[in-house]
Amino acid sequence: MSLCVDDEDPPFSFVSLFGRAELSEEPDALRHWATRIGARYMGEDRAEEFGTRNAVPGELLVRMRIDKVIAEAGLAD
């Protein structure tokens, strides 16, 4: 798989990650990561709610084993 994140504001930067995707439907792992993500974006007070709602059958946890990174900063400098 690959993932690219870019900064659209000058002086422009990006990072591209290349690697292998590992998929998991394991309920404990789904709940753990959904709860951590919930805490970050929804706040600690709603983390458990977010984790419970999103750690259900049919959801997948995708982990990336990174093999290669390409990054540049200050492209317009």
Side-chain angles (χ1 to χ4, degrees):
M1 74 178 282
S2 63
L3 174 67
C4 183
V5 179
D6 67 335
D7 181 358
E8 297 178 356
D9 296 322
F12 310 110
S13 301
F14 76 90
V15 62
S16 294
L17 307 171
F18 302 88
R20 291 165 277 129
E22 296 176 1
L23 305 178
S24 173
E25 295 180 88
E26 201 275 306
D28 291 337
L30 283 168
R31 184 178 180 93
H32 170 79
W33 287 106
T35 301
R36 285 193 63 182
I37 292 167
R40 180 174 181 157
Y41 294 103
M42 309 291 280
E44 286 290 336
D45 57 323
R46 297 196 60 204
E48 286 296 324
E49 170 193 350
F50 191 81
T52 300
R53 186 189 80 192
N54 290 290
V56 296
E59 295 294 328
L60 292 173
L61 174 64
V62 180
R63 291 186 175 123
M64 182 179 190
R65 301 283 181 190
I66 299 169
D67 296 322
K68 183 178 179 180
V69 177
I70 299 173
E72 290 287 336
L75 293 169
D77 286 341

